[in-house]
Amino acid sequence: MAANVYASATDGGWDGEAAETRSGAGAPAGGATIDCPDVGTKLTSVPEQARAEVDKELALLDEQIAQAYQRLSASAQQIQQDSGFAESAIVNPLKDKRAATLERIGIAIDRVGDRPEGLDALAACTLRESGNQPPAEGEGQDGGGEESGQDQGEGQQNDQEQGQGQGANGGQAGNGPVAADFVDIKNVQPNVNTPRPEGNASRGSFATSCGVNENGLFNSDNVIVAPGVSNGAHHFHDYVGNQANDAFASDQDLANAETSCVDQGDKSSYYWPVLRLQNGTQEQDAQKPGGGIEGNAGEIVTPKQVTLNFVGSPRDKVTAMPRLLRIITGDAKAFVNGPANANASWSCTGFEDRQLKDKYPLCPQGSDVVRTFKFQSCWDGRNIDSANHRTHVAFADAAGACPSGFRAIPQLVQRIVYDVDAPSLQDGGRTTPLFAVDSFPEQLHKPVTDHGDFINVFDENLMKKMVDCINEGRTCGAGAGEEPGQGEEPGQGEDPGQGEDPGQGEEPGQGEQPSQTPEAPQDGNAGGKPGDAGGDDGKGDDGNGEDGKGDDGKGEASEPPAAEKPTAEPKPGDGSEAPGATAPEVLATPSSGGGTGDKGGQDADGLGESQAVGTATSAAPTPSAPSQPESQAVGQGGLADTGAQLWPAAAGAVLVLSGFVVLRRVRRS
């Protein structure tokens, strides 16, 4: 039995693939990906009449890139045999398709306005190295010290497992993550800077409680970026709050929908890419667009806790958000686009004064993984959306001041906690699986691509209560008991007196964080694994065990045991190079693109009719609550591999039998 267990744990590939497939035959040679200009971010002004048609063409550009990456992934042998194959068979045809799509975008805009200049120059794409290649011979893996103390030969063997055993780009589906995407949180220096409130600061906070997606509402749409387009996101989202959000939801659909929020006056939609364990599980989306077909594979993890806090400005009073305001924070394409719009923040409970931008955290035992999104907190005062879905909102500067022409609004701080263990990097996640967020296929599940989306569907009365609460310095809302504490990290015995390190940089919008922004939790909150499950059931009682007052799970929550992982060289700068917020272009574009069939029935609080978009012909893949996952077959390796890895178990079995013989003889004597 021990031998069989050992063989199962060490011999299998992902998805039951044959050994020759796992050896790299299905992965891009050298771990490459496709790099294309992001047309959507460059179109800062699109006339309202052309918005729906342009959005669909932009979604088609994403589909073309996804298909090209899939072909690249399947063409490793041809690329090895012919160095020009990728250029002639993949990159050049992609350029031709993009050129035709860009021409249609230009025509659509030209009909009702001025054609953008330079569209033609955005057609060409290139191949680029992913950075996922196994290290050169003699180098260990970068995993925050996971291989510290191992000999060089062992490190090289692990490099081969990581770089080849799961495809050149790693991960269950061969497109990430890899060991180098992770870092030990204990090796990161504190890097969170919070501006000091002054003068007319709005010091209060308002918390809403909307559950953890217990309803299992998932889809691979994005009604903000690609309204009317099924699978417009090419990755799956968790949804809490509004229960009607899919690609075809109109503004009226959102207003009439049910909500998972405790306060029924909050029908806002909060959504983000799902987190998956790369453990071979075949989820119900395994054969669907946006899921396994596009490299998003593995077990979807339900969050342990979700807190949704709206906080004030350290400089000014806040004004009400307009109804149906759309905000996207972060960049789903940041790995290829660069960090200009990235806003990912990864950490661990008990260490939230240390935020990672482009690494996943390795959390010590008793500490949970945390994703934090601090949304833009300045609004242009006119538009509920913009052509590139960014320029109508902005981040405050380092002192918390909004750009000229913008006004402060309540800042959404979204904190998502997961009970996942630190993966075993030394064996490529075979013992304890890797985890990663869903992403566009060519983005390789890089942590820097993490992002969040929000559509404001608060009713007017509740929004007024929120604004009054924040401006008056009070703590209010149905989820107020869930807010994590402000204390120091649990007793890890590291960096106890270092405080903040301003040299580590700030995330976008860091300047607008008021003092209420969650930092490292105190006892009794989500810092520990026991005692806080089930707190976010969306039924109004979710503050009982996680209110930062130590009601439940006090012992485990406050002090995760120290030093479970091998010591590594400190990497204080890992992932902390936060991009600065780019100065937004103030647009006079009409209000946002709504959903299908919205003919003006929703007034959006006097901001003008929301844009109607055309219908699509296919339904979005929106799986219902996940059933019991069906495990995929593992352990399909060859007999030679199995035999080579069974000898430790066999030796152990011999020792056990010898022990029984000795015991029997001792008893007889």
Side-chain angles (χ1 to χ4, degrees), residues 380-393:
D380 69 3
R382 296 190 298 276
N383 303 300
I384 59 172
D385 200 358
S386 50
N388 64 357
H389 313 293
R390 295 189 184 277
T391 50
H392 64 297
V393 289

Side-chain angles (χ1 to χ4, degrees), residues 69 211 224 227 247 361 458 464 570 583 585:
Y69 179 81
I224 297 178
F458 275 87
K464 184 178 185 304
E585 175 185 352

Side-chain angles (χ1 to χ4, degrees), residues 76 159 171 190 436 461 495 579 585 596 636:
D159 293 341
N461 290 334
D495 311 319
E585 175 185 352
T596 304
Q636 299 294 323

Side-chain angles (χ1 to χ4, degrees), residues 117 151 183 356 418 526 533 623 626 663:
E117 296 182 359
D151 62 35
V183 67
L356 296 165
Y418 296 91
L663 283 174

Side-chain angles (χ1 to χ4, degrees), residues 225-248:
V225 176
V229 178
S230 179
N231 192 40
H234 295 271
H235 53 266
F236 269 72
H237 290 120
D238 266 316
Y239 291 84
V240 300
N242 199 290
Q243 298 294 287
N245 191 339
D246 62 22
F248 310 101

